Amino acid sequence: MTLDIQRELIPRNDTLRLIGTLNAMKAKFADSAQQWQLLDESGDVPAKPSSTELFQHAAGAQDLSRDVVRLTGDFAASPHSTNRAGRATLARLATASTMSAHAASHFAETAEAALVLPGAASPTDQRYLKNRMVIDHATARAYLRRTSESLRDAAKELDDHLDFHRFFPAPSHRESPVPPPRPGGRHR
């Protein structure tokens, strides 16, 4: 029974390293959601919104999303993803991957609307485009926040998993099995 439970443990160092990575990513997403603004100080869409800046938001979100998807894929390919804590962590990472991808697309739609805005034929069209920009940009920022929350939850799953380690201490060097000799190796 104890050996079955110990097999369920993700090695402590791997767990701590992954928690550190998740916390760093969580902070990047939260900071980006806070810093990437569309509205001016008065809460209005600027008269000439910068499509360059908005495309930078989209590119930054795409980079962040790529990092989350890559981490999720790497974790899914690891043997750690098959135990209870690993499956729960992977589910949180999958949610973070999805949320981050949505953020990037909404930032891109905001930038697209900023490009079309100067050519809008009527004040009604301009109002519609500005409203669409506000909604898309706010939605993108919300997706960044939700990604940050999913990464936080994944780190919490792993942090809770660390509690099990104190019940099953790592084997000492004397208890560790000696690795088998390599085949075909020569002794000198």
Side-chain angles (χ1 to χ4, degrees):
M1 173 91 174
T2 299
L3 289 176
D4 289 340
I5 294 172
Q6 282 183 304
R7 272 184 280 208
E8 288 283 310
L9 292 177
I10 300 171
R12 183 174 180 74
N13 288 338
D14 292 351
T15 304
L16 291 171
R17 190 172 22 260
L18 186 54
I19 289 171
T21 300
L22 291 170
N23 285 332
M25 290 177 99
K26 172 191 74 141
K28 284 182 186 178
F29 276 91
D31 290 346
S32 297
Q34 187 67 29
Q35 293 173 2
W36 295 344
Q37 300 288 325
L38 169 65
L39 304 179
D40 61 20
E41 299 82 34
S42 63
D44 295 323
V45 175
K48 293 183 180 180
S50 170
S51 60
T52 302
E53 184 178 332
L54 294 171
F55 275 116
Q56 288 172 349
H57 294 175
Q62 186 70 40
D63 289 343
L64 289 170
S65 179
R66 181 195 64 234
D67 292 344
V68 172
V69 171
R70 188 169 288 143
L71 177 67
T72 304
D74 290 347
F75 188 77
S78 78
H80 307 319
S81 67
T82 60
N83 63 35
R84 190 213 58 80
R87 285 188 304 274
T89 300
L90 185 58
R92 303 291 188 172
L93 288 173
T95 300
S97 294
T98 302
M99 295 296 115
S100 66
H102 288 308
S105 67
H106 281 281
F107 279 126
E109 289 175 18
T110 304
E112 179 185 1
L115 285 173
V116 175
L117 186 62
S122 70
T124 303
D125 290 342
Q126 285 188 346
R127 190 175 315 113
Y128 169 77
L129 286 171
K130 284 184 176 184
N131 287 341
R132 188 175 130 205
M133 287 175 60
V134 169
I135 291 168
D136 283 337
H137 201 273
T139 301
R141 291 176 65 218
Y143 278 125
L144 290 178
R145 286 189 296 274
R146 289 181 64 194
T147 301
S148 180
E149 291 165 2
S150 293
L151 293 168
R152 177 203 62 208
D153 294 344
K156 178 149 178 21
E157 290 286 348
L158 291 171
D159 194 46
D160 291 346
H161 178 72
L162 281 177
D163 288 341
F164 290 110
H165 281 268
R166 63 189 164 114
F167 296 114
F168 303 99
S172 68
H173 291 294
R174 280 184 266 136
E175 296 174 31
S176 297
V178 177
R182 294 182 189 169
R186 289 186 163 173
H187 298 289
R188 292 186 184 203

